Amino acid sequence: MSDGVLTSGVQGGLFAAWRAMLVRDLTLAMRRRADVLTSLFVFIIVVSLFPLGVSPEMSVLRGIAPGVIWVAALLATMLSLGRMFADDHQDGSLEQMLLLPHPLSMLVLGKVLAHWLVSGLPLVLLSPLLGMQLGMEGEAIGLLMVTLLLGTPVLSLIGATGAALTLGVRGGGVLVSLLVLPLYIPVLIIGTGAVDAGISGMDYEGHLSLLGAFLVIALLTTPLATAAALRISVE
Amino acid sequence: MALKDSIAWYHFAAPKNFYPLAGKMIPWFWGLTIVLLLVGLYLSFFVAPTDYKQGESYRIIFIHVPAAWMSMLIYLVMATYAIIGLAWKVRLADMMASALAPTGAMFTFLALWTGAFWGKPTWGTYWVWDARLTSELILLFLYIGFISLQSAIDDPRRAAKASSLLAIVGVINLPIIYFSVQWWNTLHQGASVSPTMAPKMATIMLTAMLIMTVAFWMYTIAIVLMRVRRIILERERQTTWVMELLGDETVGEKDGRK
Amino acid sequence: MSEFFAMGGHGFYIWVSYGVTALFMITEVIAVIRGKRTVEKRLARLARTLSRSE
């Protein structure tokens, strides 16, 4: 599989290499569906624990729903970060990627997009179901989906840097949460803030533009940091 | 002059030359720390008057505010060293960044701790989700991440580089985190408390606080120089100068025992 | 004297704050000094074995 990336990486242009990376990672993920589903089920289970732990009262649940779903999304993303580079590191294809003539940050972007399609997008698609479980109304659910749609790519992008830094490190899986969760806080605050504002009938466009700004900043900066981290880890 | 300065700069950027220099500077910084601490404590307890609103408990801010300031300053300095270390491959800068982290984490913890014990008599609870306290808590998480990453990687060079990169990522995020927490706090109308006592704050209180801040600063320099000397020895252990330095010391030790 | 330590009823909060700060700083100094000695001893042992084997 990695051969495809390498040949098209050497012969084709940057876009060809980028697309090959994306297709390759998606194919690999499809072969290991169980891994993908695990983090999705964690998302569902964590959300389902709140009615049991806090209260089954819909009025209580409705108040905490956006926060609960967002926090569960952070945790589910966290669990899937380990996969992003670990296998490539183990079988040596990562080292070959470093040797490609293309900027590593662009290849990283391909991998991050694959990660988001496999573990971020399903969260967005599942969120209406969980929102209804927690008693959210139609419009609020739509808003929740929009915030997740803008926010989960940021989680994948920042997470990639964390995953690259902890590549091959003892206890990397737990460590990555420690590094990345504090950096997720702004996305969490603005994401839940938008939904809360929408529910209480306030203007939420500002929040959405902020989330969009986070996405743009993360798109521009994190691939560089991730590429630097990969070079440090593989060296 | 400039050329001479830059030569001195290069000279002392080599761990071999910095090690003895740091050794010579440490006692001076300890001296400054002790003098300033004594003056600062004297001012905070015997000269500064009782606050008419908060009573005596406000005296906690003489350590709370300096600790909070130092916690932020140390993170900035640490990130600066991290940038120097990564961009210009200065080993000593990486070592300084690692040496700063534990002291920064300690001051962050102390700022939270003293904040809690100042908060209890002042607003009735130990913890409030106030913007400052929350940001300080997140800062503590960032420090813990830096220290954990560094201790999880066995190869010291890779550890230094990876944690430097993390410090840079952290310092870029810090303003974003700070403003979103600020915004979150105004939205939820949490108790907004400010430990600094607005414009009426007497000059003597401000003086005491500044002197305590400088005392903590000198303490930080002294302890960081001590810690960086240990780190230099560890990371330069294969070099001949470390071997010679310690080889001589052991000979001396043996003679002393006889 | 005891009036000074009572701090107008807020003594507990003040002394816990100052006490823990002092404790942390002193502990840090001791830990750093000990840490450096341990490293010195370990490396000196290493240097001795190396010079013997030469």
Side-chain angles (χ1 to χ4, degrees), chain B residues 73-83 97-98 100-101 143 146 167:
Chain B
L73 179 73
I74 291 176
Y75 199 89
L76 292 183
V77 175
M78 194 175 90
T80 312
Y81 275 121
I83 292 170
S98 337
L100 278 159
Y143 272 120
F146 181 94

Side-chain angles (χ1 to χ4, degrees), chain C residues 32-43:
Chain C
V32 169
I33 292 174
R34 277 209 186 151
K36 181 156 182 292
R37 277 211 197 119
T38 324
V39 170
E40 274 171 348
K41 269 188 200 153
R42 204 179 59 216
L43 292 182

Side-chain angles (χ1 to χ4, degrees), chain B residues 48-82:
Chain B
T50 308
D51 188 77
Y52 76 99
K53 246 167 91 189
Q54 302 179 36
E56 302 289 349
S57 64
Y58 89 100
R59 291 186 200 278
I60 293 173
I61 68 160
F62 292 124
I63 47 172
H64 170 69
V65 175
W69 280 345
M70 286 314 295
S71 68
M72 291 178 255
L73 179 73
I74 291 176
Y75 199 89
L76 292 183
V77 175
M78 194 175 90
T80 312
Y81 275 121

Side-chain angles (χ1 to χ4, degrees), chain B residues 7-68:
Chain B
I7 289 174
W9 191 238
Y10 277 114
H11 179 74
F12 287 115
K16 180 189 172 185
N17 302 322
F18 187 73
Y19 184 86
L21 177 72
K24 268 181 223 150
M25 290 190 316
I26 288 166
W28 291 99
F29 283 107
W30 277 128
L32 279 173
T33 308
I34 290 165
V35 171
L36 286 165
L37 268 183
L38 288 178
V39 175
L41 287 174
Y42 177 75
L43 287 181
S44 343
F45 279 108
F46 299 105
V47 182
T50 308
D51 188 77
Y52 76 99
K53 246 167 91 189
Q54 302 179 36
E56 302 289 349
S57 64
Y58 89 100
R59 291 186 200 278
I60 293 173
I61 68 160
F62 292 124
I63 47 172
H64 170 69
V65 175

Side-chain angles (χ1 to χ4, degrees), chain A residues 167 169-170 178-179 207 233 235, chain B residues 145 148 152 154 158 161-162 183:
Chain A
L167 202 53
V169 169
R170 271 180 280 129
L178 206 57
L179 306 187
H207 305 80
S233 297
E235 219 166 57
Chain B
S148 319
D154 291 322
R158 188 190 151 188
K161 279 185 184 175
W183 177 86

Side-chain angles (χ1 to χ4, degrees), chain A residues 194-209:
Chain A
V195 185
D196 284 337
I199 289 174
S200 51
M202 285 190 295
D203 187 36
Y204 50 80
E205 273 169 33
H207 305 80
L208 295 186
S209 355

